[in-house]
Amino acid sequence: MLLIAGGARDPHVRRALRRAEARGIPARGLLVGPEDHPRLRLSVPEGRLVVDDEPLDVGALWVRHDVFAALADPRAAVAQRALDWYEALVGYAALNPRLRALNRDGLGRRVNKIAALGLAASLGLRVPRTLVTSDLAALRAGPVADAVAKPLRGGALCLPLAEALAEQDPRRAAAPSPAFVQERLAGPELRVTLVGERVFSFAIETEALDHRAEPDAPARRVADPPPAVLGPLFALARALGVELSAADFKRDPESGELVLLELNTQPMFTAYDTACGGAIVDAILDLLAR
Amino acid sequence: MIDKNKAPKERKEYKTMAIPEEPGDDAEYKTMAIPEEPADAEKAPKKAGKVFGEG
């Protein structure tokens, strides 16, 4: 049986459960949300899992850290609860090393975006010229027109550097937090989702600097990047321990070369899955069911 | 986008269905309630913090 665990509000797990049901793949959800608090018992070190008094015979596991509950309810306890459930399921996978677990080698690991950019560059991928800085005074003194800024860990959109500086008190020489300052690249953004050995590439049609500013921007399936990019990209995914991931690229405005913005190890993909007729979810289920 | 002010959609209860675990096995298979996917949950939600932080 396939166990799909995550947030009750996470459309990715719900979509996968419905698709598994339609395909006749034995699957069970372990969904946690405001009204869903399953009764879990995990024996340590045996690794036996019982949910709502039902001993589960799990052959494959897909667990997603739930971020949707905290978006709907910003109380710290909600985020803590999501992390506790993720922790329990990651532990379950660790106690059962022969269990097929999606992204097993990446479970419980937080990806440092600075380190990931360094790793990507060492593997041969072009990454943006990047400075991590909190030095507002130096940034104001330099050219800002062709630069963008984005946070180190998420929590804000990527902005033109001038706009990010304008958010700060002009009397301040130092920012509260360091952030990425990068060269401005050319769109459209290319989203490349990796599922096992399969590749799903989409162009995101938007003029927005950060496509998340325009949630309805259409995604169009396009040709995959060339092997010179895909090879190092797969190597990066392997190094981060993930079989399911999604990379974001833009292009060097002069050379047209693809430039990796980041590799997401728990990607959002329902819009892209819709754009390719459900092929991404099917590929995930194929990976887990094989 | 998730509308914080909107109540969650009514849950759709899926019937318990039999899916053979092995050929010839009529083992019962149970799913949990699977809510309908909101049409507006397609992309990562917008975030509203400041790039260089606050405080």
Side-chain angles (χ1 to χ4, degrees):
Chain A
M1 182 190 70
L2 165 61
L3 180 64
I4 301 176
R9 292 170 182 264
D10 185 339
H12 303 80
V13 294
R14 299 200 302 259
R15 179 178 286 223
L17 283 165
R18 281 199 302 274
R19 185 62 184 150
E21 185 178 41
R23 287 180 53 180
I25 297 172
R28 189 196 200 284
L30 177 51
L31 306 182
V32 180
E35 298 89 27
D36 304 274
H37 298 100
R39 285 183 295 116
L40 173 141
R41 297 199 299 274
L42 171 62
S43 61
V44 181
E46 297 82 5
R48 285 192 295 272
L49 184 63
V50 178
V51 176
D52 294 334
D53 295 327
E54 178 187 354
L56 298 188
D57 181 14
V58 179
L61 170 71
W62 180 22
V63 55
R64 278 177 65 92
H65 178 202
D66 179 27
V67 297
F68 288 86
L71 286 165
D73 182 346
R75 288 177 300 155
V78 175
Q80 184 63 47
R81 180 178 65 204
L83 195 54
D84 289 339
W85 277 95
Y86 181 66
E87 190 80 356
L89 271 297
V90 170
Y92 170 62
L95 293 177
N96 292 274
R98 281 184 290 186
L99 174 72
R100 178 87 179 86
L102 191 68
N103 288 357
R104 170 181 281 281
D105 293 338
L107 287 178
R109 280 170 61 180
R110 196 179 70 77
V111 175
N112 179 298
K113 293 187 178 187
I114 303 168
L117 283 178
L119 179 59
S122 74
L123 292 168
L125 288 161
R126 161 92 154 84
V127 300
R129 287 188 293 277
T130 299
L131 178 67
V132 175
T133 180
S134 66
D135 191 341
L136 297 176
L139 289 171
R140 290 189 191 106
V144 299
D146 293 325
V148 302
K150 64 182 186 181
L152 296 186
R153 298 188 306 117
L157 298 176
C158 180
L159 293 178
L161 176 57
E163 289 183 28
L165 290 174
E167 291 180 333
Q168 298 295 319
D169 184 332
R171 295 165 297 181
R172 265 195 163 142
S177 299
F180 286 116
V181 174
Q182 297 178 321
E183 63 182 316
R184 184 190 280 266
L185 299 163
E189 191 161 325
L190 182 68
R191 162 58 67 107
V192 180
T193 300
L194 306 180
V195 186
E197 301 300 317
R198 301 182 66 183
V199 183
F200 304 88
S201 302
F202 304 87
I204 305 171
E205 307 288 355
T206 176
E207 296 297 314
L209 179 62
D210 187 323
H211 70 84
R212 295 171 298 174
E214 193 184 337
D216 298 328
R220 176 172 52 87
R221 186 108 187 243
V222 296
D224 296 331
V229 171
L230 275 185
L233 186 61
F234 273 115
L236 177 62
R238 282 194 297 273
L240 296 175
V242 292
E243 304 152 283
L244 168 63
S245 62
D248 292 324
F249 290 91
K250 284 192 173 182
R251 289 187 184 274
D252 182 307
E254 292 179 5
S255 69
E257 187 181 11
L258 282 171
V259 183
L260 177 73
L261 301 176
E262 64 181 12
L263 183 76
N264 305 285
T265 55
Q266 184 177 276
M268 307 289 178
F269 57 77
T270 53
Y272 310 106
D273 186 56
T274 299
C276 62
I280 294 176
V281 166
D282 272 338
I284 294 169
L285 293 174
D286 290 345
L287 199 60
L288 287 165
R290 78 183 179 193
Chain B
M1 295 297 295
I2 290 177
D3 184 347
K4 295 179 187 174
N5 300 315
K6 198 163 70 178
K9 292 195 175 185
E10 191 175 340
R11 293 179 170 279
K12 179 176 179 180
E13 296 289 340
Y14 278 69
K15 290 180 181 174
T16 298
M17 57 184 293
I19 294 180
E21 301 265 2
E22 301 286 345
D25 181 359
D26 286 331
E28 285 255 306
Y29 153 65
K30 190 175 81 174
T31 65
M32 295 183 68
I34 307 171
E36 287 296 326
E37 180 177 336
D40 56 0
E42 296 283 292
K43 292 259 181 89
K46 267 187 217 170
K47 298 176 179 179
K50 293 180 180 176
V51 170
F52 285 101
E54 297 176 56

